[in-house]
Short mmCIF file of all heavy atoms in Angstrom, two decimals:
data_model
loop_
_atom_site.label_atom_id
_atom_site.label_comp_id
_atom_site.label_asym_id
_atom_site.label_seq_id
_atom_site.Cartn_x
_atom_site.Cartn_y
_atom_site.Cartn_z
N ALA A 5 124.37 22.57 135.67
CA ALA A 5 124.18 23.84 136.34
C ALA A 5 125.28 23.97 137.39
O ALA A 5 125.63 22.99 138.05
CB ALA A 5 122.81 23.92 136.99
N VAL A 6 125.80 25.19 137.55
CA VAL A 6 126.85 25.46 138.52
C VAL A 6 126.44 26.65 139.36
O VAL A 6 125.99 27.67 138.84
CB VAL A 6 128.19 25.78 137.81
CG1 VAL A 6 129.27 26.11 138.83
CG2 VAL A 6 128.62 24.64 136.91
N GLU A 7 126.59 26.49 140.67
CA GLU A 7 126.32 27.59 141.59
C GLU A 7 127.55 27.80 142.45
O GLU A 7 128.09 26.83 143.00
CB GLU A 7 125.11 27.27 142.47
CG GLU A 7 124.80 28.38 143.46
CD GLU A 7 123.59 28.05 144.31
OE1 GLU A 7 123.59 26.98 144.95
OE2 GLU A 7 122.67 28.87 144.32
N VAL A 8 127.98 29.04 142.58
CA VAL A 8 129.17 29.36 143.37
C VAL A 8 128.75 30.30 144.50
O VAL A 8 128.12 31.33 144.26
CB VAL A 8 130.25 30.03 142.50
CG1 VAL A 8 131.45 30.40 143.34
CG2 VAL A 8 130.65 29.11 141.35
N THR A 9 129.10 29.92 145.73
CA THR A 9 128.87 30.77 146.89
C THR A 9 130.21 30.96 147.59
O THR A 9 131.21 30.36 147.19
CB THR A 9 127.85 30.15 147.87
OG1 THR A 9 128.43 29.00 148.49
CG2 THR A 9 126.55 29.78 147.18
N SER A 10 130.22 31.72 148.65
CA SER A 10 131.47 31.93 149.39
C SER A 10 131.91 30.65 150.10
O SER A 10 133.08 30.52 150.45
CB SER A 10 131.32 33.07 150.39
OG SER A 10 130.29 32.78 151.31
N GLU A 11 131.00 29.72 150.33
CA GLU A 11 131.33 28.49 151.05
C GLU A 11 131.70 27.32 150.14
O GLU A 11 132.48 26.46 150.51
CB GLU A 11 130.16 28.07 151.94
CG GLU A 11 129.94 29.00 153.11
CD GLU A 11 128.50 29.45 153.20
OE1 GLU A 11 127.63 28.77 152.63
OE2 GLU A 11 128.24 30.48 153.81
N ARG A 12 131.07 27.26 148.96
CA ARG A 12 131.30 26.11 148.08
C ARG A 12 130.79 26.38 146.67
O ARG A 12 130.03 27.31 146.44
CB ARG A 12 130.62 24.86 148.64
CG ARG A 12 129.11 24.91 148.54
CD ARG A 12 128.50 23.63 149.03
NE ARG A 12 127.05 23.72 148.90
CZ ARG A 12 126.19 23.24 149.78
NH1 ARG A 12 126.62 22.63 150.85
NH2 ARG A 12 124.91 23.35 149.57
N SER A 13 131.20 25.51 145.78
CA SER A 13 130.65 25.47 144.42
C SER A 13 129.92 24.14 144.29
O SER A 13 130.41 23.12 144.76
CB SER A 13 131.75 25.54 143.37
OG SER A 13 132.46 26.75 143.47
N SER A 14 128.74 24.18 143.70
CA SER A 14 127.96 22.96 143.49
C SER A 14 127.70 22.80 142.00
O SER A 14 127.42 23.77 141.30
CB SER A 14 126.63 23.04 144.24
OG SER A 14 126.85 23.17 145.62
N VAL A 15 127.82 21.56 141.53
CA VAL A 15 127.60 21.26 140.13
C VAL A 15 126.58 20.13 140.05
O VAL A 15 126.71 19.12 140.75
CB VAL A 15 128.91 20.82 139.44
CG1 VAL A 15 128.67 20.53 137.97
CG2 VAL A 15 129.99 21.87 139.62
N PHE A 16 125.56 20.29 139.20
CA PHE A 16 124.56 19.25 138.98
C PHE A 16 124.40 19.04 137.48
O PHE A 16 124.37 19.99 136.71
CB PHE A 16 123.21 19.65 139.59
CG PHE A 16 122.12 18.67 139.29
CD1 PHE A 16 122.10 17.43 139.89
CD2 PHE A 16 121.12 18.98 138.39
CE1 PHE A 16 121.10 16.50 139.61
CE2 PHE A 16 120.11 18.07 138.09
CZ PHE A 16 120.10 16.83 138.71
N VAL A 17 124.29 17.78 137.08
CA VAL A 17 124.15 17.45 135.66
C VAL A 17 122.75 16.89 135.42
O VAL A 17 122.36 15.90 136.04
CB VAL A 17 125.21 16.43 135.22
CG1 VAL A 17 125.01 16.04 133.77
CG2 VAL A 17 126.60 17.00 135.42
N GLN A 18 122.01 17.56 134.54
CA GLN A 18 120.67 17.11 134.20
C GLN A 18 120.70 16.17 132.99
O GLN A 18 119.91 15.24 132.92
CB GLN A 18 119.77 18.32 133.90
CG GLN A 18 118.31 17.98 133.81
CD GLN A 18 117.45 19.23 133.74
OE1 GLN A 18 117.92 20.32 133.42
NE2 GLN A 18 116.19 19.07 134.04
N ALA A 19 121.62 16.41 132.07
CA ALA A 19 121.74 15.56 130.88
C ALA A 19 123.20 15.59 130.43
O ALA A 19 123.88 16.60 130.56
CB ALA A 19 120.84 16.07 129.76
N GLY A 20 123.68 14.47 129.93
CA GLY A 20 125.04 14.39 129.43
C GLY A 20 126.03 14.06 130.53
O GLY A 20 125.67 13.49 131.56
N THR A 21 127.29 14.42 130.31
CA THR A 21 128.35 14.19 131.30
C THR A 21 129.20 15.44 131.43
O THR A 21 129.34 16.21 130.48
CB THR A 21 129.27 13.01 130.91
OG1 THR A 21 129.88 13.29 129.65
CG2 THR A 21 128.52 11.71 130.83
N VAL A 22 129.76 15.63 132.63
CA VAL A 22 130.61 16.78 132.91
C VAL A 22 131.75 16.32 133.81
O VAL A 22 131.53 15.58 134.76
CB VAL A 22 129.81 17.91 133.63
CG1 VAL A 22 130.72 19.04 134.07
CG2 VAL A 22 128.70 18.43 132.74
N ALA A 23 132.96 16.76 133.51
CA ALA A 23 134.11 16.48 134.36
C ALA A 23 134.32 17.68 135.28
O ALA A 23 134.24 18.83 134.84
CB ALA A 23 135.36 16.23 133.53
N VAL A 24 134.60 17.41 136.55
CA VAL A 24 134.82 18.46 137.55
C VAL A 24 136.12 18.13 138.29
O VAL A 24 136.35 16.97 138.64
CB VAL A 24 133.66 18.53 138.57
CG1 VAL A 24 133.93 19.56 139.65
CG2 VAL A 24 132.34 18.81 137.87
N ASN A 25 136.96 19.14 138.50
CA ASN A 25 138.16 18.93 139.29
C ASN A 25 138.61 20.23 139.94
O ASN A 25 138.19 21.30 139.55
CB ASN A 25 139.29 18.33 138.45
CG ASN A 25 139.87 19.33 137.48
OD1 ASN A 25 139.15 19.91 136.68
ND2 ASN A 25 141.17 19.52 137.53
N ARG A 26 139.45 20.07 140.96
CA ARG A 26 140.13 21.22 141.54
C ARG A 26 141.41 21.41 140.74
O ARG A 26 141.94 20.44 140.20
CB ARG A 26 140.50 20.92 142.99
CG ARG A 26 139.37 20.94 143.94
CD ARG A 26 139.94 20.88 145.38
NE ARG A 26 138.87 21.04 146.33
CZ ARG A 26 138.25 20.03 146.93
NH1 ARG A 26 138.60 18.79 146.68
NH2 ARG A 26 137.29 20.27 147.79
N PRO A 27 141.95 22.62 140.72
CA PRO A 27 143.23 22.82 140.02
C PRO A 27 144.28 21.83 140.54
O PRO A 27 144.49 21.70 141.75
CB PRO A 27 143.61 24.26 140.36
CG PRO A 27 142.29 24.93 140.63
CD PRO A 27 141.44 23.87 141.29
N GLY A 28 144.88 21.10 139.63
CA GLY A 28 145.92 20.15 139.98
C GLY A 28 145.42 18.85 140.59
O GLY A 28 146.21 17.97 140.91
N GLY A 29 144.12 18.71 140.74
CA GLY A 29 143.57 17.50 141.35
C GLY A 29 142.93 16.58 140.33
O GLY A 29 142.74 16.97 139.18
N PRO A 30 142.61 15.37 140.75
CA PRO A 30 141.97 14.43 139.83
C PRO A 30 140.53 14.84 139.53
O PRO A 30 139.85 15.42 140.38
CB PRO A 30 142.01 13.10 140.59
CG PRO A 30 142.08 13.49 142.02
CD PRO A 30 142.82 14.79 142.07
N ALA A 31 140.10 14.54 138.33
CA ALA A 31 138.74 14.87 137.90
C ALA A 31 137.78 13.76 138.29
O ALA A 31 138.16 12.60 138.38
CB ALA A 31 138.70 15.09 136.39
N VAL A 32 136.53 14.14 138.51
CA VAL A 32 135.44 13.18 138.66
C VAL A 32 134.48 13.44 137.52
O VAL A 32 134.40 14.55 137.01
CB VAL A 32 134.72 13.31 140.03
CG1 VAL A 32 135.66 12.95 141.17
CG2 VAL A 32 134.14 14.70 140.23
N THR A 33 133.77 12.42 137.11
CA THR A 33 132.81 12.55 136.01
C THR A 33 131.40 12.44 136.56
O THR A 33 131.07 11.48 137.25
CB THR A 33 133.05 11.46 134.95
OG1 THR A 33 134.38 11.60 134.44
CG2 THR A 33 132.07 11.59 133.80
N LEU A 34 130.60 13.44 136.24
CA LEU A 34 129.20 13.45 136.64
C LEU A 34 128.36 13.08 135.43
O LEU A 34 128.62 13.54 134.31
CB LEU A 34 128.77 14.84 137.13
CG LEU A 34 129.16 15.26 138.53
CD1 LEU A 34 130.66 15.35 138.69
CD2 LEU A 34 128.52 16.57 138.89
N ARG A 35 127.36 12.25 135.67
CA ARG A 35 126.40 11.88 134.65
C ARG A 35 125.02 12.40 135.06
O ARG A 35 124.86 12.89 136.17
CB ARG A 35 126.39 10.36 134.49
CG ARG A 35 127.67 9.84 133.89
CD ARG A 35 127.75 8.33 133.88
NE ARG A 35 128.87 7.73 133.18
CZ ARG A 35 130.14 8.03 133.25
NH1 ARG A 35 130.54 9.02 133.99
NH2 ARG A 35 131.07 7.38 132.58
N ALA A 36 124.05 12.29 134.18
CA ALA A 36 122.71 12.80 134.46
C ALA A 36 122.22 12.33 135.83
O ALA A 36 122.26 11.14 136.14
CB ALA A 36 121.74 12.35 133.38
N GLY A 37 121.82 13.29 136.67
CA GLY A 37 121.32 13.00 138.00
C GLY A 37 122.38 13.09 139.08
O GLY A 37 122.06 13.02 140.26
N ASP A 38 123.64 13.24 138.69
CA ASP A 38 124.74 13.33 139.65
C ASP A 38 125.04 14.79 140.00
O ASP A 38 124.84 15.69 139.18
CB ASP A 38 126.03 12.74 139.09
CG ASP A 38 125.99 11.24 138.93
OD1 ASP A 38 125.13 10.59 139.55
OD2 ASP A 38 126.84 10.70 138.19
N GLY A 39 125.58 14.98 141.18
CA GLY A 39 126.03 16.29 141.61
C GLY A 39 127.26 16.17 142.48
O GLY A 39 127.57 15.08 142.98
N VAL A 40 127.95 17.28 142.66
CA VAL A 40 129.12 17.32 143.53
C VAL A 40 129.19 18.70 144.16
O VAL A 40 128.86 19.70 143.52
CB VAL A 40 130.42 16.96 142.78
CG1 VAL A 40 130.78 18.02 141.75
CG2 VAL A 40 131.58 16.75 143.74
N ASP A 41 129.56 18.72 145.44
CA ASP A 41 129.79 19.97 146.16
C ASP A 41 131.30 20.09 146.37
O ASP A 41 131.93 19.16 146.87
CB ASP A 41 129.08 19.96 147.51
CG ASP A 41 127.56 19.94 147.35
OD1 ASP A 41 127.05 20.77 146.59
OD2 ASP A 41 126.91 19.10 147.99
N VAL A 42 131.85 21.22 145.97
CA VAL A 42 133.29 21.45 146.08
C VAL A 42 133.51 22.59 147.07
O VAL A 42 133.12 23.72 146.81
CB VAL A 42 133.90 21.83 144.70
CG1 VAL A 42 135.40 22.01 144.82
CG2 VAL A 42 133.54 20.79 143.64
N SER A 43 134.10 22.26 148.21
CA SER A 43 134.39 23.27 149.21
C SER A 43 135.90 23.48 149.30
O SER A 43 136.67 22.70 148.75
CB SER A 43 133.80 22.87 150.57
OG SER A 43 134.27 21.60 150.94
N ALA A 44 136.28 24.52 150.01
CA ALA A 44 137.70 24.82 150.17
C ALA A 44 138.38 23.65 150.87
O ALA A 44 137.77 22.94 151.67
CB ALA A 44 137.88 26.10 150.97
N GLY A 45 139.62 23.46 150.57
CA GLY A 45 140.35 22.36 151.19
C GLY A 45 140.68 21.29 150.18
O GLY A 45 140.34 21.39 149.01
N GLY A 46 141.30 20.26 150.66
CA GLY A 46 141.77 19.23 149.74
C GLY A 46 141.00 17.94 149.82
O GLY A 46 141.48 16.90 149.37
N ASP A 47 139.79 17.96 150.43
CA ASP A 47 139.01 16.73 150.50
C ASP A 47 138.72 16.21 149.10
O ASP A 47 138.45 16.99 148.18
CB ASP A 47 137.68 16.97 151.22
CG ASP A 47 137.85 17.33 152.68
OD1 ASP A 47 138.90 16.97 153.26
OD2 ASP A 47 136.94 17.97 153.24
N PRO A 48 138.75 14.88 148.92
CA PRO A 48 138.42 14.31 147.61
C PRO A 48 137.00 14.69 147.20
O PRO A 48 136.11 14.79 148.04
CB PRO A 48 138.53 12.80 147.83
CG PRO A 48 139.32 12.63 149.08
CD PRO A 48 139.08 13.87 149.91
N LEU A 49 136.80 14.90 145.91
CA LEU A 49 135.47 15.20 145.40
C LEU A 49 134.64 13.93 145.44
O LEU A 49 135.10 12.86 145.03
CB LEU A 49 135.55 15.74 143.97
CG LEU A 49 136.37 17.01 143.79
CD1 LEU A 49 136.36 17.43 142.33
CD2 LEU A 49 135.83 18.12 144.67
N GLU A 50 133.41 14.05 145.94
CA GLU A 50 132.54 12.89 146.08
C GLU A 50 131.28 13.09 145.24
O GLU A 50 130.44 13.94 145.55
CB GLU A 50 132.17 12.69 147.55
CG GLU A 50 131.36 11.45 147.80
CD GLU A 50 131.03 11.26 149.27
OE1 GLU A 50 131.60 11.95 150.13
OE2 GLU A 50 130.18 10.40 149.54
N VAL A 51 131.17 12.31 144.18
CA VAL A 51 130.00 12.37 143.32
C VAL A 51 128.84 11.70 144.04
O VAL A 51 128.99 10.61 144.59
CB VAL A 51 130.26 11.66 141.97
CG1 VAL A 51 129.00 11.64 141.12
CG2 VAL A 51 131.41 12.34 141.24
N LYS A 52 127.69 12.38 144.04
CA LYS A 52 126.50 11.82 144.69
C LYS A 52 125.33 11.89 143.73
O LYS A 52 125.23 12.81 142.92
CB LYS A 52 126.16 12.60 145.96
CG LYS A 52 127.21 12.48 147.04
CD LYS A 52 126.77 13.19 148.29
CE LYS A 52 127.82 13.02 149.38
NZ LYS A 52 127.46 13.74 150.60
N ARG A 53 124.46 10.92 143.86
CA ARG A 53 123.19 10.95 143.13
C ARG A 53 122.29 11.89 143.91
O ARG A 53 121.99 11.63 145.08
CB ARG A 53 122.60 9.54 143.11
CG ARG A 53 121.50 9.40 142.14
CD ARG A 53 122.15 9.19 140.82
NE ARG A 53 121.20 8.72 139.84
CZ ARG A 53 121.34 8.98 138.58
NH1 ARG A 53 122.37 9.68 138.17
NH2 ARG A 53 120.51 8.52 137.72
N TRP A 54 121.90 12.99 143.30
CA TRP A 54 121.06 13.96 143.99
C TRP A 54 119.61 13.49 143.95
O TRP A 54 119.12 13.06 142.90
CB TRP A 54 121.17 15.33 143.36
CG TRP A 54 122.44 16.05 143.73
CD1 TRP A 54 123.57 15.52 144.28
CD2 TRP A 54 122.71 17.44 143.55
NE1 TRP A 54 124.52 16.50 144.47
CE2 TRP A 54 124.01 17.68 144.03
CE3 TRP A 54 121.98 18.49 143.05
CZ2 TRP A 54 124.60 18.94 144.01
CZ3 TRP A 54 122.55 19.75 143.02
CH2 TRP A 54 123.85 19.97 143.50
N GLY A 55 118.93 13.61 145.08
CA GLY A 55 117.52 13.27 145.14
C GLY A 55 116.68 14.25 144.35
O GLY A 55 117.13 15.36 144.01
N ARG A 56 115.48 13.84 144.08
CA ARG A 56 114.57 14.67 143.27
C ARG A 56 114.38 16.06 143.88
O ARG A 56 114.42 17.07 143.18
CB ARG A 56 113.23 13.96 143.14
CG ARG A 56 112.22 14.72 142.32
CD ARG A 56 110.92 13.95 142.25
NE ARG A 56 111.09 12.73 141.51
CZ ARG A 56 110.60 12.52 140.29
NH1 ARG A 56 109.89 13.45 139.71
NH2 ARG A 56 110.80 11.39 139.67
N GLU A 57 114.21 16.12 145.21
CA GLU A 57 113.96 17.41 145.87
C GLU A 57 115.17 18.34 145.77
O GLU A 57 115.03 19.52 145.45
CB GLU A 57 113.59 17.19 147.33
CG GLU A 57 113.20 18.46 148.04
CD GLU A 57 112.74 18.22 149.47
OE1 GLU A 57 112.45 17.08 149.85
OE2 GLU A 57 112.68 19.22 150.21
N ARG A 58 116.37 17.82 146.05
CA ARG A 58 117.55 18.69 145.98
C ARG A 58 117.77 19.18 144.56
O ARG A 58 118.05 20.35 144.32
CB ARG A 58 118.80 17.98 146.48
CG ARG A 58 119.99 18.94 146.37
CD ARG A 58 121.20 18.53 147.08
NE ARG A 58 122.18 19.62 147.00
CZ ARG A 58 123.46 19.46 147.18
NH1 ARG A 58 123.96 18.30 147.51
NH2 ARG A 58 124.28 20.49 147.05
N ALA A 59 117.64 18.29 143.58
CA ALA A 59 117.83 18.68 142.18
C ALA A 59 116.81 19.73 141.77
O ALA A 59 117.16 20.73 141.14
CB ALA A 59 117.75 17.46 141.29
N ALA A 60 115.55 19.54 142.13
CA ALA A 60 114.50 20.50 141.76
C ALA A 60 114.74 21.85 142.41
O ALA A 60 114.60 22.89 141.75
CB ALA A 60 113.13 19.95 142.15
N ASN A 61 115.11 21.88 143.68
CA ASN A 61 115.39 23.15 144.37
C ASN A 61 116.59 23.85 143.76
O ASN A 61 116.60 25.07 143.60
CB ASN A 61 115.63 22.91 145.86
CG ASN A 61 114.37 22.53 146.60
OD1 ASN A 61 113.26 22.82 146.15
ND2 ASN A 61 114.53 21.86 147.73
N PHE A 62 117.61 23.09 143.43
CA PHE A 62 118.81 23.65 142.82
C PHE A 62 118.48 24.27 141.47
O PHE A 62 118.83 25.42 141.19
CB PHE A 62 119.86 22.55 142.67
CG PHE A 62 121.21 23.02 142.22
CD1 PHE A 62 122.08 23.65 143.09
CD2 PHE A 62 121.63 22.81 140.92
CE1 PHE A 62 123.34 24.07 142.67
CE2 PHE A 62 122.88 23.22 140.49
CZ PHE A 62 123.74 23.86 141.37
N LEU A 63 117.80 23.53 140.60
CA LEU A 63 117.48 24.01 139.26
C LEU A 63 116.48 25.17 139.31
O LEU A 63 116.51 26.05 138.43
CB LEU A 63 116.95 22.87 138.40
CG LEU A 63 117.99 21.80 138.07
CD1 LEU A 63 117.32 20.62 137.38
CD2 LEU A 63 119.12 22.36 137.22
N ALA A 64 115.62 25.21 140.32
CA ALA A 64 114.64 26.31 140.43
C ALA A 64 115.34 27.65 140.61
O ALA A 64 114.82 28.68 140.17
CB ALA A 64 113.70 26.04 141.59
N ARG A 65 116.51 27.65 141.22
CA ARG A 65 117.24 28.90 141.40
C ARG A 65 117.71 29.48 140.07
O ARG A 65 118.09 30.64 139.98
CB ARG A 65 118.41 28.70 142.35
CG ARG A 65 117.96 28.40 143.77
CD ARG A 65 119.06 28.55 144.79
NE ARG A 65 120.09 27.55 144.73
CZ ARG A 65 120.04 26.36 145.34
NH1 ARG A 65 118.98 26.01 146.01
NH2 ARG A 65 121.06 25.53 145.25
N PHE A 66 117.70 28.64 139.03
CA PHE A 66 118.08 29.10 137.69
C PHE A 66 116.87 29.24 136.78
O PHE A 66 117.01 29.33 135.56
CB PHE A 66 119.07 28.09 137.07
CG PHE A 66 120.32 27.93 137.88
CD1 PHE A 66 120.45 26.87 138.78
CD2 PHE A 66 121.36 28.83 137.77
CE1 PHE A 66 121.61 26.72 139.53
CE2 PHE A 66 122.52 28.68 138.52
CZ PHE A 66 122.63 27.63 139.40
N GLY A 67 115.67 29.19 137.36
CA GLY A 67 114.46 29.33 136.57
C GLY A 67 114.14 28.10 135.74
O GLY A 67 113.46 28.20 134.73
N ARG A 68 114.59 26.94 136.20
CA ARG A 68 114.34 25.70 135.44
C ARG A 68 113.47 24.78 136.24
O ARG A 68 113.52 24.60 137.35
CB ARG A 68 115.64 25.00 135.12
CG ARG A 68 116.50 25.91 134.24
CD ARG A 68 117.69 25.20 133.81
NE ARG A 68 117.45 24.90 132.41
CZ ARG A 68 118.30 24.29 131.65
NH1 ARG A 68 119.41 23.86 132.13
NH2 ARG A 68 118.05 24.06 130.40
#
């Protein structure tokens, strides 16, 4: 699932794997249960294991 706001883009993977990168930057690989928040700037992307509550709240916004 991907959500884009004016402040950041967030990506969460419920099943499978997904590669995420900024244009011209290195990719990170997310696996089931992982998420990443991508904000403006050049900070390295940091894959995090999302807790049950954050994942459920995120997916609820998509009716899941």
Side-chain angles (χ1 to χ4, degrees):
V6 178
E7 179 179 55
V8 178
T9 69
S10 60
E11 291 129 21
R12 71 177 181 218
S13 298
S14 299
V15 181
F16 175 72
V17 177
Q18 192 170 19
T21 60
V22 173
V24 177
N25 71 305
R26 286 190 174 97
V32 295
T33 300
L34 282 64
R35 292 173 173 48
D38 291 342
V40 67
D41 294 310
V42 182
S43 55
D47 294 336
L49 300 180
E50 185 179 348
V51 176
K52 295 183 178 178
R53 194 81 166 151
W54 283 15
R56 180 181 294 252
E57 185 176 345
R58 180 167 186 200
N61 289 338
F62 187 77
L63 292 172
R65 293 195 289 275
F66 301 97
R68 298 186 106 179

